[in-house]
Amino acid sequence: MIRTVPFALATALASSAHAAISLDACNGPATTTLAAAPHALEARAVWLNRALAKWPGSPSDGKFKLHHSPTAAIEAIVGRKVKGAAGALDLESTNAVSKVAAERFQYLAAGPVLKLADKDLTRLPALHREQLVLTREAPDGTVLAATRLQAAGALDDLYAAAEQVPDLGATPARKRTGFKLWAPTAQQAAVCVFDSGSSRAGAVHQLAMDAATGVWSAQVPADLSGRYYTYAVDVVSEQAGLVRNLVTDPYSVSLSTDSQRSYIADLDAARLKPVGWDKERAPQTVKSPVDMAVYELHVRDFSRDDETVPPAKRGKYTAFGESDSNGMRHLKALAQAGMTDIHLLPVYDIASIPEKNCARPQPTGAPDGDTQQALIRKTAHTDCYNWGYDPWHYNAPEGSYASDPADGARRIVEFREMVMHLHRAGLRVGLDVVYNHTFVAGQDGKSVLDRVVPGYYHRLNAKGGIERSTCCDNTATENRMMGKLMIDSAVLWAKHYKIDSFRFDLMGHQPRAAMERLQGAVDKATGRSVQLLGEGWNFGEVANGARFVQASQLSLNGSGIGTFSDRARDAVRGGGAGDSGEALVSRQGWINGLVYDPNAKAGARPATELLRAADMVRIGLAGTLRSYPLATFEGSTRKLEDIDYGGQPAGYASEPGETVNYVENHDNQTLYDNNALKLPLETGSADRARVQVLGLAITAFSQGIAYYHAGSDILRSKSLDRNSFNSGDWFNRLDWTYQTNHFGTGLPPADDNAKDWPLFKPVLANAALRAQPADIAFARDAFRDLLAIRASTTLLRMRTAEDVAQRLRFFNTGPRQEPTVVAATIDGKGYAGARFGSLTYLINADKVAHVVTDAGLRGRQLRLHPVHTAAGAGDKRAATAGYDSVNGTFSIPPRTAVVFVED
């Protein structure tokens, strides 16, 4: 709700003598407009620091003035004189720009740099709490051009000390509670305190601003733990003018239902800790990042449909405490086989999931029908489901997963209990975090950062609008306090929730320097190594280092931070993430028929495509390491960094721990759905399961971190949905009874898929493409064998690039290779944790058996890996693979991955 007050009152409120924020204001609307801005201006000028501003694209003639108004009353219309300003400062052109400012704002177009007079510099902190408009004027004072200014450069310079403030937020203690809010552009601020999440405010406390940091604070002489609060902040908003915002705390550690109020809590308080929490430790299964085998899981997906979980706990944190449920039995079996980590899709406070009375549609329809998606779409914004890439409060657990979202303590305790239950199942816990954008910005009711410091926290374009290349409102972690918020948030999760690793969404939009500071901070706060991995994609307004050195694939080498590799992923699956139409079928991959088993739409493909794909698979198996030398299909041996991948080096990592290998995650079609489109239609269901296992084997055998999407081991289908982020429970189901993979449960939602419905309909209607229980069981068991093989030896988890270069050797390479077989041997002599003198793996993607020979392995005493020969081995076909020691020849059954070892 928004309320507007008369201009006269607004002027009084904005004066130095205005009244304190009243208790009644705490119970008022979310926004009160104290004075509306007369007209909107773009923000084309940019503060470079406290003294300098640049106006890209502006002529340099005329007189430049900085006008200010505490009531946002400025009218600066071209051809007229400025009206409504309380005063103005003159600026002069200069060529003197510091190296720091020049580098930070290197992306700005040419334009005059303007300097404030030295005598006026002391006025700037106060003026930043007002409306500021920069004009270029004619000699008679008429406006030639006018613009607002992007303020981050000035605020970062003026309030650099704020970066060192350790206790932003609410900090309750014995007989006192402190509140600190960074709001350097606020004219005044107060904290409103509530006894509950729904009661009226019981008290209001005025905050005082520290001139050095821009932090507003108060000390209340009482321990307010368990109560709720909001801030009342008077700020000039570029959209609305002078407003009073009632807003939650950006540093909230918990919230009331639907995030309406922040919760006051000391995360070290005994009442918020499950029994044994202080002594709780993660399983000691990861000594090096490359030891990680990660299962990416959504909290609601995990238990929502599990009938062995009590109904009240389904889809909740508490479901992980049901140790005998089908889902927990599945996770424990994975851990016993060698899975080390669960990575939870976002579990911070999510803006797009109602925490009470969310809709639960119950679709029905034909395998290729559109009624299911039609029902889902009707409630897409009010149902209980979303992946969660819609951040609202970064530091608070999501309330829809708690048993009682109205109780700010429950989500804290239950989250910690979930971590403990996963630890006791043998699994470490990682979080998917999304610091690259917020759900909304500006004066929207679900905006927090922009309603506290308007225009600061987001990355702005040349007109002052928010960049949205990440889908939503991009944050600017290159700005001091947004970078601090990201780092402080990660420290909170690692320290107070014992999180072992983080997966950063669109990490390439963050500066490498910020990520390295974050790494140091979380490691120092926890006294252990917290692994960082993320999406290092290079795109948008930051692409190719336009604004800073990015935390992207090609820019992170040597940092120890892992990025997802698309090199082998695309070669294995076929095509690319952006494919649509017939390309989804025709662009086959190495495991699903490229050249050797073409589908009806593939057409004639040159043999070099298969050869190139096989080499790209080898590149992934070698950890995508820059320095690794590969004998290519073209007959030359080249370092991976010298092999082309779409205009980029195929090898980009300096060490194995900087590579995350995967063939499926939450994005795009699942591997099963991808193969349903690309494998020839006559491929039987048992063979479809085998092809799935081949993809998982490539990840298991690759040097680096292994990453798997939950359900990939049980042939998970999303009925061909390419983007199930908001597709409801229906298209995101998991079946821990292993009876169905949910293929053919309706056309996927129209928003992202309708253009491909004509292609999808016959595929979904084809009953022969549905996985049978026997197929699911095979994939499940064969995958666990792959985990066990990987866990059995460090040869599939080598620590350094030098180790990989010295010990990993591919054979069956070059121009005369059999391109459907990838084979390698790894020397284990003297290598810590190897357990074997050597290990040799072979992956045959073809639908027929093949024989390959390696002269270097003649006369060796190789045997099948013990996992293959065990009575309960998941893939009986692997045990039929043969090795002829005299000739160094291997016979590999069709669509089989097999490992040989020697003592």
Side-chain angles (χ1 to χ4, degrees):
M1 186 167 66
I2 299 175
R3 182 177 69 193
T4 303
V5 301
F7 179 77
L9 175 58
T11 303
L13 286 172
S15 73
S16 59
H18 61 62
I21 294 173
S22 69
L23 185 61
D24 285 343
C26 293
N27 297 307
T31 297
T32 299
T33 301
L34 305 176
H39 68 110
L41 286 171
E42 294 175 341
R44 291 181 174 271
V46 178
W47 285 105
L48 305 182
N49 54 33
R50 71 179 70 194
L52 300 179
K54 186 173 185 179
W55 194 341
S58 171
S60 57
D61 62 305
K63 188 166 188 175
F64 293 91
K65 286 193 171 185
L66 183 67
H67 300 267
H68 59 93
S69 167
T71 56
I74 297 173
E75 286 188 33
I77 299 172
V78 173
R80 304 180 188 176
K81 293 185 177 182
V82 173
K83 295 170 60 178
L89 306 179
D90 292 327
L91 297 96
E92 299 293 336
S93 295
T94 181
N95 293 319
V97 179
S98 71
K99 181 180 179 182
V100 171
E103 288 180 354
R104 176 174 177 179
F105 295 102
Q106 61 183 327
Y107 62 91
L108 294 177
V113 175
L114 308 169
K115 184 180 186 301
L116 284 166
D118 290 344
K119 65 181 177 61
D120 292 327
L121 289 180
T122 57
R123 299 181 60 188
L124 255 294
L127 292 183
H128 276 291
R129 296 194 281 279
E130 302 186 18
Q131 178 192 29
L132 295 178
V133 173
L134 177 62
T135 59
R136 185 170 66 88
E137 299 177 5
D140 65 355
T142 58
V143 175
L144 299 173
T147 180
R148 292 186 295 107
L149 300 94
Q150 300 177 25
L155 298 181
D156 282 350
D157 187 12
L158 287 166
Y159 301 106
E163 205 171 9
Q164 305 306 316
V165 175
D167 54 351
L168 292 174
T171 52
R174 187 171 180 270
K175 296 184 178 181
R176 66 170 182 83
T177 300
F179 295 95
K180 288 187 179 180
L181 176 71
W182 188 70
T185 62
Q187 294 182 5
Q188 68 169 344
V191 60
C192 307
V193 179
F194 307 82
D195 288 338
S196 73
S198 57
S199 64
R200 292 178 64 81
V204 60
H205 305 278
Q206 308 306 310
L207 303 179
M209 180 177 158
D210 174 53
T213 61
V215 171
W216 292 77
S217 64
Q219 286 285 337
V220 178
D223 183 350
L224 299 177
S225 294
R227 298 187 189 180
Y228 297 81
Y229 68 107
T230 60
Y231 290 115
V233 187
D234 292 357
V235 291
V236 172
S237 162
E238 55 267 31
Q239 298 103 331
L242 179 62
V243 295
R244 173 167 295 161
N245 285 326
L246 296 184
V247 61
T248 45
D249 193 338
Y251 276 72
S252 299
V253 297
S254 191
L255 299 144
S256 65
T257 305
D258 290 329
S259 312
Q260 297 305 295
R261 294 171 183 172
S262 302
Y263 181 70
I264 301 172
D266 174 7
L267 294 178
D268 285 323
R271 61 183 288 268
L272 298 178
K273 296 178 180 179
V275 175
W277 177 251
D278 285 337
K279 295 183 178 180
E280 181 67 22
R281 298 292 182 271
Q284 300 302 299
T285 49
V286 173
K287 308 300 181 185
S288 166
V290 296
D291 292 336
M292 293 174 67
V294 180
Y295 203 58
E296 180 196 46
L297 183 65
H298 187 277
V299 168
R300 184 168 173 83
D301 288 352
F302 170 65
S303 61
R304 176 191 57 241
D305 303 310
D306 189 345
E307 294 185 356
T308 62
V309 174
K313 294 185 178 182
R314 293 177 195 170
K316 306 293 185 180
Y317 300 126
T318 53
F320 292 89
E322 297 297 310
S323 60
D324 289 328
S325 70
N326 288 338
M328 284 306 296
R329 287 176 181 271
H330 186 87
L331 295 189
K332 285 188 281 190
L334 290 176
Q336 289 165 4
M339 194 72 75
T340 62
D341 289 64
I342 293 293
H343 266 208
L344 299 170
L345 266 71
V347 287
Y348 51 64
D349 180 48
I350 300 167
S352 53
I353 304 176
E355 294 182 354
K356 63 179 180 180
N357 302 323
C358 57
R360 293 177 170 84
Q362 301 295 319
T364 58
D368 62 341
D370 65 1
T371 58
Q372 300 95 322
Q373 67 84 35
L375 182 61
I376 293 296
R377 292 177 75 215
K378 285 182 180 178
T379 59
H381 302 300
T382 58
D383 70 1
C384 306
Y385 192 86
N386 198 284
W387 277 348
Y389 293 90
D390 298 331
W392 194 346
H393 297 85
Y394 287 116
N395 297 353
E398 164 59 18
S400 70
Y401 302 146
S403 61
D404 182 5
D407 180 353
R410 290 313 309 156
R411 63 184 77 186
I412 297 170
V413 173
E414 290 172 0
F415 193 109
R416 287 170 161 173
E417 289 174 341
M418 173 182 67
V419 170
M420 293 177 75
H421 293 310
L422 286 168
H423 284 175
R424 290 168 188 179
L427 294 158
R428 306 183 336 144
V429 181
L431 298 187
D432 193 331
V433 288
V434 187
Y435 297 112
N436 61 81
H437 64 242
T438 57
F439 180 55
V440 290
Q443 284 294 110
D444 189 282
K446 292 186 177 181
S447 169
V448 177
L449 303 177
D450 237 7
R451 296 178 72 229
V452 175
V453 191
Y456 174 82
Y457 283 99
H458 294 88
R459 190 172 297 128
L460 306 180
N461 61 28
K463 296 181 179 180
I466 296 175
E467 296 280 7
R468 304 189 85 250
S469 57
T470 66
C471 86
C472 307
D473 294 309
N474 295 2
T475 56
T477 42
E478 64 271 27
N479 296 348
R480 285 184 188 273
M481 296 305 284
M482 183 60 221
K484 174 180 172 60
L485 175 57
M486 177 177 73
I487 293 168
D488 288 350
S489 178
V491 166
L492 181 146
W493 288 108
K495 179 180 178 181
H496 291 288
Y497 292 95
K498 302 185 188 294
I499 297 305
D500 297 294
S501 61
F502 294 96
R503 175 217 178 264
F504 285 76
D505 182 62
L506 299 182
M507 184 173 62
H509 273 57
Q510 321 294 6
R512 170 174 168 152
M515 291 300 301
E516 290 182 315
R517 292 197 306 275
L518 188 152
Q519 180 76 79
V522 293
D523 288 357
K524 180 179 180 181
T526 60
R528 51 188 166 85
S529 177
V530 177
Q531 182 63 29
L532 307 184
L533 26 136
E535 294 179 307
W537 316 133
N538 174 36
F539 69 98
E541 72 282 356
V542 299
N544 303 315
R547 298 204 180 199
F548 44 74
V549 176
Q550 301 158 258
S552 60
Q553 282 180 338
L554 301 184
S555 302
L556 273 174
N557 60 299
S559 68
I561 297 171
T563 60
F564 288 84
S565 175
D566 48 350
R567 276 59 168 166
R569 179 202 69 186
D570 288 351
V572 168
R573 292 171 61 101
D579 287 350
S580 62
E582 288 201 358
L584 288 168
V585 178
S586 64
R587 299 184 68 191
Q588 290 175 281
W590 188 74
I591 64 170
N592 52 41
L594 176 63
V595 176
Y596 63 90
D597 192 17
N599 61 46
K601 294 183 182 295
R605 299 282 183 178
T608 52
E609 286 196 18
L610 179 59
L611 289 163
R612 184 173 288 106
D615 271 2
M616 206 58 63
V617 171
R618 294 181 181 102
I619 286 168
L621 288 163
T624 325
L625 293 167
R626 288 175 176 262
S627 58
Y628 185 82
L630 179 69
T632 72
F633 78 92
E634 296 168 310
S636 62
T637 296
R638 288 186 286 167
K639 292 181 179 180
L640 301 190
E641 65 182 351
D642 296 326
I643 298 174
D644 180 69
Y645 176 76
Q648 299 180 5
Y652 65 81
S654 293
E655 297 293 345
E658 294 175 357
T659 300
V660 183
N661 302 295
Y662 73 117
V663 292
E664 177 187 323
N665 72 348
H666 61 273
D667 285 319
N668 308 115
Q669 276 96 4
T670 67
L671 182 59
Y672 187 88
D673 288 346
N674 176 80
N675 291 338
L677 293 167
K678 297 182 190 296
L679 281 167
L681 288 177
E682 62 270 20
T683 308
S685 66
D687 269 345
R688 290 177 182 276
R690 298 198 71 85
V691 171
Q692 181 97 357
V693 171
L694 293 180
L696 301 176
I698 291 167
T699 297
F701 297 166
S702 294
Q703 302 297 327
I705 297 166
Y707 203 93
Y708 304 97
H709 184 213
S712 60
D713 52 326
I714 53 173
L715 308 183
R716 183 181 193 172
S717 169
K718 296 181 181 179
S719 209
L720 302 182
D721 194 351
R722 69 183 304 136
N723 188 16
S724 70
F725 83 102
N726 200 23
S727 298
D729 295 336
W730 183 257
F731 291 98
N732 288 283
R733 287 175 291 171
L734 285 166
D735 179 18
W736 302 126
T737 69
Y738 316 125
Q739 297 306 297
T740 179
N741 70 338
H742 299 295
F743 182 84
T745 51
L747 286 164
D751 306 68
D752 289 303
N753 301 280
K755 62 183 180 299
D756 294 320
W757 278 2
L759 187 73
F760 290 173
K761 278 182 70 70
V763 176
L764 292 172
N766 188 341
L769 302 186
R770 298 175 197 163
Q772 301 303 307
D775 307 325
I776 296 169
F778 163 76
R780 175 198 66 204
D781 296 342
F783 175 67
R784 291 174 187 176
D785 285 355
L786 293 172
L787 288 177
I789 289 170
R790 187 176 188 274
S792 72
T793 174
T794 53
L795 296 181
L796 296 173
R797 299 174 279 120
M798 286 188 279
R799 272 44 182 161
T800 69
E802 183 179 5
D803 294 340
V804 176
Q806 290 180 348
R807 293 177 179 273
L808 172 66
R809 178 177 63 83
F810 292 101
F811 58 96
N812 181 45
T813 60
R816 304 181 67 180
Q817 67 181 271
E818 171 46 63
T820 57
V821 177
V822 166
T825 186
I826 307 173
D827 178 14
K829 293 177 183 175
Y831 197 69
R835 287 188 57 200
F836 306 110
S838 74
L839 179 147
T840 300
Y841 60 75
L842 303 100
I843 306 168
N844 178 12
D846 209 343
K847 58 182 180 180
V848 298
H850 283 288
V851 174
V852 297
T853 299
D854 178 47
L857 292 175
R858 290 174 185 165
R860 304 282 283 272
Q861 300 302 308
L862 304 185
R863 57 186 172 87
L864 287 166
H865 193 288
V867 166
H868 290 317
T869 57
D875 184 2
K876 305 299 183 185
R877 186 182 291 182
T880 68
Y883 163 65
D884 177 356
S885 176
V886 173
N887 298 306
T889 298
F890 298 85
S891 56
I892 309 302
R895 289 176 169 145
T896 300
V898 63
V899 176
F900 291 87
V901 295
E902 69 176 338
D903 298 327

